[in-house]
């Protein structure tokens, strides 16, 4: 089956709409931005005074100025100090705003991820999602702060410098302004090119990040198959693709700046020639020529900054589109507008004519239906086991109870409440799940057990561990309950991880319990300890068990046999054996051959 790994593309927002949305993240910090802008305006204005003071100094040296040198020196020193202080205030304010915007964007993206349904994560690579929250958000940082004030500062300096240039010499000003349309054309051409290439760079970087995440999380599989060289080569290919895209971007940037510089220097040389002639004829003083050249440099610098800024913005807009594309993903499973909190339940679970298919793509066609008109009622406190061939739909059935997915037809009800009509948080807090592959979070054993109820105290955590047959092995660890479990719990054995998961479920104290092959892949001693813990956990709860080993479900109140998404048989262990149907054949096959050819998990 080929899954759609890519993000579902939503219609691209116009650039103006993207900018408006991005600038919305600045609003909470507009006070800091005002401080930065005021400091920037003061610094820009002082920068325009500096060339005049330098020109007066030159005129003094050449005998064309009678202003005392001390006064000129004080003016120059005051301008320099003022610019330094203004720059300090501006840079600190912008850094604060930039870091806050990045933090807010990352938090908004992460919060949105927590609202998305499981299908979203099943169809996308973890590295791709991670890249959008880390690399892309970082690329946006300068766009909403430094680039914005650079634009404003450049506008002030450009307008002020052009006005003063005209005052000093209109002839040279006319020559200088020839540069403007040339710079605009160069900036537009290269800017659009840079945007396309930068988006490609981010995509290739996301591919490399995905491979890195997969191989780190699956390091045991890589080691067991001896695939280190293969993974290195796969990662090298992705890194080289990123490098090639980055070098194409570097080549465009390398062409961009020299092209701008060539246009700027051609105009400066022309101004020097014409300005020298005007000085020789007495139409312009040497000091005014020097001041004019400084202003021309400010104009050229501002235009060059605009060009560079335009290129950076085009690059960032690709990252902006990727981040907003993530934020615009809509969950397929969400609370209805009129959803109500689910009150404390007794634990009656009903599947009423349920049909379901995963929304995946296989050779361009929707995957086949997994459940067909499936109906089953589980009474409060009852223990029901689900058995059947692999792919029969057992895991799908239990996934519909906490509403990890929504049914296409029919309904799933808990105590008569349709799960689609209640708030998911109130639903899931009353359901406990112990899966086959237990995931523990990096941190201590205490933290992982407390995850079942965050306000639990140490005594309650220890009590849950005792019920889960985990207290004894925990106390034998060097740091006891404070022992770090490692990423995904790699420092613990499978049986130990499973007992920690059971303790976590005990602490949660759910009314409905789902056990998805919770004792498979364990050795006999670990299975015994886990089974004892599970029996304590199931007392007084509605329990739904997916079992691989039929010996573990003999005491179930009822056993439901699922084949191809349909309920084929249901009854007690003895009843089903007496009937001699599918369950009897599965049971005979499993206990006749210790390595059954037909999996029932």
């Amino acid at each position: 089956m080929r899954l759609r790994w890519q993000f579902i593309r939503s219609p691209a927002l116009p650039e103006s709409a993207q900018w408006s949305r991005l600038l919305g993240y600045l609003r909470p910090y507009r006070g800091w931005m005002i401080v930065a802008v005021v400091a920037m305006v003061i610094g820009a204005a002082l920068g325009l005074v500096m060339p005049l003071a330098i020109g007066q100094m030159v005129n003094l040296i050449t005998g064309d100025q009678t202003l005392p040198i001390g006064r000129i020196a004080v003016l120059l020193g005051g301008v320099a100090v003022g610019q330094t202080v203004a720059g300090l205030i501006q840079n600190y304010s912008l850094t604060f705003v930039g870091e806050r915007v990045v933090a807010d964007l990352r938090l908004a993206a992460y919060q949105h991820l927590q609202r998305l349904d499981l299908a979203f994560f099943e169809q996308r690579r973890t590295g791709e999602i991670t890249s959008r929250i880390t690399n892309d958000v970082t690329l946006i940082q300068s766009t909403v702060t430094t680039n914005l004030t650079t634009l404003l500062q450049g506008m002030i300096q450009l307008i002020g410098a052009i006005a003063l240039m005209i005052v000093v010499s209109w002839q040279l000003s006319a020559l200088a302004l020839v540069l403007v349309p040339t710079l605009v054309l160069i900036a537009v051409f290269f800017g659009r090119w840079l945007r396309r290439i930068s988006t490609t760079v981010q995509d290739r970087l996301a591919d490399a990040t995905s491979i890195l995440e997969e191989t780190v999380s699956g390091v045991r599989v890589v080691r067991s198959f001896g695939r280190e060289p293969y993974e290195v080569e796969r990662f090298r290919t992705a890194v080289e693709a990123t490098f090639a895209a980055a070098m194409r971007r570097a080549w465009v940037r390398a062409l961009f700046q020299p092209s701008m510089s060539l246009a700027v220097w051609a105009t400066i040389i022309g101004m020097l020639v014409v300005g020298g002639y005007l000085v020789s004829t007495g139409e312009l003083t040497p000091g005014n020529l020097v001041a004019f050249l400084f202003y021309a440099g400010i104009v050229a610098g501002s235009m060059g900054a605009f060009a560079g800024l335009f290129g950076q913005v085009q690059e960032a807009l690709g990252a902006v589109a990727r981040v907003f594309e993530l934020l615009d993903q809509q969950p397929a499973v969400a609370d209805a507008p009129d959803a109500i909190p689910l009150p404390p339940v007794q634990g009656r679970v009903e599947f009423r004519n349920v049909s379901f298919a995963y929304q995946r793509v296989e050779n361009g066609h929707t995957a086949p239906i997994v459940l067909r008109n499936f109906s089953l009622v589980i009474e409060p406190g009852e223990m029901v086991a689900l058995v059947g061939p692999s792919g029969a739909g057992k895991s799908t059935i239990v996934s519909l109870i906490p509403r990890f997915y929504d049914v296409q037809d029919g309904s799933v009800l808990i105590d008569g409440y349709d799960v689609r009509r209640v708030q998911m948080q109130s639903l899931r807090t009353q359901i406990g799940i112990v899966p086959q592959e237990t995931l523990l979070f990096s941190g201590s054993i205490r933290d992982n057990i407390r995850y079942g109820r965050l306000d639990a105290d140490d005594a309650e955590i220890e009590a849950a561990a005792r019920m889960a047959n985990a207290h004894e092995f925990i106390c034998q660890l060097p740091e006891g309950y404070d022992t770090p479990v490692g990423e995904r719990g790699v420092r613990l054995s499978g049986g130990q991880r499973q007992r920690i998961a059971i303790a976590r479920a005990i602490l949660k104290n759910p009314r409905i319990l789902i056990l998805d092959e919770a004792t498979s892949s364990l050795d006999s001693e670990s299975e015994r300890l886990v089974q004892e813990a599970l029996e304590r956990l199931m007392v007084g709860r509605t329990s739904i068990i997916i079992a691989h080993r039929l010996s573990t479900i003999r005491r179930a109140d009822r056993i439901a046999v699922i084949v191809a998404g349909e309920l084929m048989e249901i009854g007690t262990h003895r009843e089903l054996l007496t009937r001699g149907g599918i369950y009897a054949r599965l049971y005979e096959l499993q206990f006749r051959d210790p390595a059954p050819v037909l999996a029932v998990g």
Side-chain angles (χ1 to χ4, degrees), residues 350-355 372-377 411 560 562 565-567 570:
E350 178 182 359
F351 294 86
R352 186 180 294 173
N353 300 320
V354 169
S355 293
R372 297 175 179 83
N373 296 318
F374 177 80
S375 295
L376 176 65
V377 176
S411 56
I562 314 297
E566 297 184 26
L567 178 62
I570 189 166

Side-chain angles (χ1 to χ4, degrees), residues 458-477:
D458 290 346
E460 291 172 314
I461 291 172
E462 182 178 327
R466 287 181 183 277
M467 289 185 66
N469 281 342
H471 179 72
E472 183 176 349
F473 89 78
I474 293 174
C475 291
Q476 293 174 354
L477 295 173

Side-chain angles (χ1 to χ4, degrees), residues 395 398 433-437 514-518 520 544-546 601:
S395 294
V398 296
I433 302 175
V434 181
Q436 176 182 2
E437 295 295 332
I514 297 172
L515 307 176
D516 192 350
E517 302 186 44
S520 65
I544 304 168
I545 308 168
I546 296 177

Side-chain angles (χ1 to χ4, degrees), residues 2 19 30 86 151 189 202 241 248 258 269 280 346 375 393 471 474 560 573 580 595:
R2 185 176 181 177
W19 270 109
R30 52 184 174 270
L151 175 64
F189 173 75
Q202 293 302 111
R248 287 195 297 272
I269 291 171
S280 67
Q346 295 299 311
S375 295
H471 179 72
I474 293 174
H573 172 72

Side-chain angles (χ1 to χ4, degrees), residues 5 125-126 209-219 222 234:
W5 288 115
R125 296 171 296 181
T126 302
T209 304
S210 296
I211 294 173
L212 175 62
E213 189 278 333
E214 289 171 356
T215 52
V216 169
S217 61
V219 64
V222 175
R234 193 161 71 106

